[in-house]
Amino acid sequence: MSPKLAWIGLGNMGRGMAANLATKGPQTQPLIIHNRTQTTAQTFAQNTPNTTVSATLEATLTQADIIFTCLSDDAAITTLITAAVTTPNLSLHNKIFVDCSTVHPSTTTTISKQLNQAGAQFIACPVFGSPAAAAAGQVICVLAGEADVIERIKPYTTGVIAKSDLEFADCAPAKASQLKILGNTFVISMVEAIAEGLVVAEKCGLGAENLHRFFEAVFPGPYVAYSERMRSGDYWRREAPLFGVGLVRKDARHALDMAHSVGARMRGVELADGYLRAVEERTGEKGDLAGVYGAVREEGGLKFEN
């Protein structure tokens, strides 16, 4: 019999991945949806075929054999897993938890141990990609854990919620979180470099448009996408962030802590976090990673908004 699947967490990334899992996955039964805000889960299920809503965490875990989680931060996933393993009379024996959250490697290690001690199996599965990529099934999953459990999960990743996988078979789940956190620092540093380049191009007379043409010719892909968001003013006009500044700073803190723990520094991340702090102070929860451009503009004597 096909295992019953559940998805917990319907943030920007979670919605797209859950929708693809529900509509393209090989499971024969509806995807069980649980979210802290019940109305969000109900709206999602109304608009997504092959889904059903579960009102409580206990009911969700009781019904499901494989549970995907995608939550906003370390506190959220820690709270959920602690609730799961301490709920009286709830057996997690042989259930598989697949966590797609971006969290500190130590958090991944902690929740993995909690679940293993409760008789469950655990796979870390953070993903690389934007909310648009998640909706299109084009993220990249990083899978870490026991090889045989990864094989049981792969039918729901590549070709369903993801375009490909990076595997750490028979490795500690924390390796996936290490790669995810370090990988995100390249995005942070890229955005900071684009912002500085555009400001200098504008002030020296080259023109931001000409630098953008360079990106199109030499660095197609994310360089072009972020440059366009900056030049178009999307970084300050949008009501809801694509990559919220609070989450970016969380990832930056995790990366800096990882470096510090091994006697290293990431000075580029330290620099970028200073700009991110300025964005957060100015725009609050609306702040987006691309808003670094506004902070760099202000430092260069220009207006935050272009």
Side-chain angles (χ1 to χ4, degrees):
M1 180 180 293
S2 174
K4 292 183 180 179
L5 270 61
W7 189 280
I8 300 176
L10 294 173
N12 285 347
M13 294 293 290
R15 285 194 300 273
M17 291 191 288
N20 282 313
L21 183 57
T23 57
K24 299 193 297 184
Q27 70 276 7
T28 59
Q29 301 180 71
L31 178 65
I32 302 166
I33 300 295
H34 177 68
N35 193 65
R36 182 173 58 182
T37 305
Q38 189 74 357
T39 54
T40 300
Q42 292 169 346
T43 300
F44 178 86
Q46 290 170 1
N47 295 308
T48 310
N50 200 32
T51 58
T52 183
V53 174
S54 177
T56 67
L57 177 62
E58 182 177 1
T60 303
L61 300 182
T62 299
Q63 298 174 70
D65 304 302
I66 300 176
I67 302 97
F68 285 82
T69 55
C70 187
L71 302 182
S72 60
D73 57 26
D74 301 63
I77 188 63
T78 299
T79 298
L80 185 143
I81 298 303
T82 299
V85 300
T86 57
T87 298
N89 302 318
L90 174 61
S91 174
L92 302 181
H93 188 66
N94 288 335
K95 294 182 184 291
I96 300 175
F97 285 74
V98 184
D99 184 40
C100 301
S101 311
T102 298
V103 294
H104 195 287
S106 64
T107 299
T108 298
T109 297
T110 297
I111 64 175
S112 175
K113 288 180 178 179
Q114 286 180 294
L115 290 168
N116 290 161
Q117 290 170 357
Q121 296 166 306
F122 178 79
I123 296 295
C125 180
V127 302
F128 287 108
S130 64
Q138 294 296 297
V139 297
I140 299 172
C141 291
V142 186
L143 300 168
E146 295 181 8
D148 60 330
V149 184
I150 288 178
E151 290 302 313
R152 294 175 62 184
I153 297 305
K154 285 168 63 176
Y156 309 104
T157 56
T158 300
V160 181
I161 67 174
K163 65 178 180 181
S164 63
D165 296 329
L166 293 172
E167 295 182 34
F168 290 93
D170 286 331
C171 291
K175 283 195 177 294
S177 295
Q178 290 174 330
L179 181 60
K180 171 59 176 171
I181 292 298
L182 286 178
N184 276 8
T185 68
F186 285 83
V187 178
I188 295 169
S189 297
M190 174 192 69
V191 168
E192 190 270 336
I194 293 170
E196 287 186 343
L198 289 174
V199 169
V200 173
E202 179 175 345
K203 296 198 71 176
C204 77
L206 171 64
E209 295 77 11
N210 287 323
L211 184 61
H212 184 77
R213 289 170 57 199
F214 163 76
F215 293 144
E216 291 177 322
V218 181
F219 296 125
Y223 273 81
V224 172
Y226 269 103
S227 174
E228 183 57 37
R229 290 190 61 207
M230 294 175 190
R231 291 170 57 252
S232 68
D234 176 78
Y235 71 94
W236 63 268
R237 287 193 174 99
R238 66 170 38 252
E239 288 299 316
L242 290 180
F243 194 174
V245 66
L247 295 179
V248 184
R249 295 200 69 201
K250 177 260 294 181
D251 293 352
R253 287 192 299 271
H254 288 346
L256 294 174
D257 183 70
M258 285 174 57
H260 177 74
S261 69
V262 295
R265 287 185 70 176
M266 304 189 77
R267 294 180 186 271
V269 178
E270 293 172 7
L271 172 64
D273 189 54
Y275 289 126
L276 290 165
R277 181 173 60 251
V279 175
E280 190 171 46
E281 291 171 352
R282 182 184 182 92
T283 61
E285 293 182 357
K286 289 177 56 178
D288 185 273
L289 171 58
V292 165
Y293 179 47
V296 175
R297 285 174 59 84
E298 282 195 317
E299 187 176 69
L302 303 173
K303 290 179 58 179
F304 184 92
E305 301 86 358
N306 64 346

